[in-house]
Amino acid sequence: PNGAVDGNGTPENAILTYPGFSSINMALTGANSHYNSLQTEFHGHVTKDLNLQASYTLSRAIDPSTGGSGMDLANVSNPYAGWKFDLGPSMLDRTHIFFVDFVYNIPFLKNSSSHLLKSTLGGWELSGIVTMESGTPLNISYNGTSVCNVVSNCSIRPDLTGSISYPKTSTPLNGPLSINTLQWFNPAAFGVPAVGSFGNLGYDALRGPGRDNWNLSLFKEFVINEERGTRFEFRAESFNTWNHTEFGGAGTNAGVDTGFSPGSATFGKVKSAWDPRVFQLGAKLIF
């Protein structure tokens, strides 16, 4: 390669350790990771009709999984610092995870003296799974003019120039919170890295939106012939029952040389959401 690497027109080959090689990948199979957590659990029969299980985990997982899938042999961002430059919260890290699952045999008309009421309105069962968890880490990248225009197979992060904040405001102000309008974090807290540097922002330094998801199911078994064991089962299920808008990740690519506010059109804005409420019905005849 003979491309100029500075304003004086210095050819790349004049400063390379191994002239003639435009690109040498650096990949590692060894690194350090650690996980610490506080885990709590409760389960049992709260009443004779309610069986409940609940769990809460406070945790921290640290590793240098830069490959986006947690696998090894991923390119390091900074070949001069190695994997330690990308040491931070794991892509699987969730600070808080709370869930509840339950089965409730609704006692209403369960023991009614009326066979009609008992067989139609009594004996229904309600079950559900509730999940609440913190958001995934966000790794902020910068792909404007940088040292990576000279050093191949690298990536850099911006400089942190202010306090990280999460305004969670809409664009325009007072508008509805939706994909591509919700400003999740403040882009003004970041700046263009110094010439020749890889940026001072840590790896996976920000957090995306968390989740608050409820899945509920209503179940009933209708006995047709008790002696022969013939019965009809009906189930109504809902996912994201309360139709909460559960936002996904935010734009992490600054990608500009002229400033970070507003910077890239999607920088700091929520780009996706989980599915809205879904209903499904099921039926089964057993004979």
Side-chain angles (χ1 to χ4, degrees), residues 218-263:
L218 189 63
F219 172 84
K220 168 69 175 174
E221 183 179 272
F222 300 88
V223 177
I224 299 175
N225 188 305
E226 187 172 351
E227 182 178 342
R228 298 178 58 182
T230 304
R231 62 188 186 275
F232 173 76
E233 295 181 356
F234 171 79
R235 182 181 295 272
E237 298 176 321
S238 63
F239 304 89
N240 189 6
T241 302
W242 313 124
N243 205 29
H244 289 155
T245 301
E246 300 177 75
F247 292 111
T252 58
N253 182 14
V256 292
D257 289 317
T258 55
F260 287 73
S261 184

Side-chain angles (χ1 to χ4, degrees), residues 59-75:
S59 65
R60 187 71 163 169
I62 302 293
D63 65 34
S65 54
T66 57
S69 60
M71 306 300 290
D72 61 359
L73 285 178
N75 283 348

Side-chain angles (χ1 to χ4, degrees), residues 6 64 89 111 117-118 120 128-129 138 151 158 172 174 188 192-193 206 231 267 277 283:
D6 58 25
N111 299 312
L117 294 177
K118 180 179 179 180
T120 56
I129 300 176
L138 299 175
V151 181
N174 301 320
V192 178
L206 279 74
R231 62 188 186 275
F267 183 48
R277 178 172 51 212

Side-chain angles (χ1 to χ4, degrees), residues 161-162 185-191 260-261 267:
T161 58
F185 61 82
N186 180 16
F190 311 97
F260 287 73
S261 184
F267 183 48

Side-chain angles (χ1 to χ4, degrees), residues 33-39 57-62 93-94:
S33 64
H34 60 268
Y35 172 82
N36 296 284
S37 68
L38 167 68
Q39 302 180 18
T57 300
L58 172 66
S59 65
R60 187 71 163 169
I62 302 293
D93 182 60
R94 305 290 190 278

Side-chain angles (χ1 to χ4, degrees), residues 183-208:
Q183 191 73 49
W184 182 253
F185 61 82
N186 180 16
F190 311 97
V192 178
V195 176
S197 74
F198 286 80
N200 64 19
L201 181 66
Y203 176 69
D204 275 358
L206 279 74
R207 288 279 171 175

Side-chain angles (χ1 to χ4, degrees), residues 19 56 68 96 160 241 252 266 286:
Y56 168 72
H96 304 282
L160 181 63
T241 302
T252 58
T266 60
I286 300 174

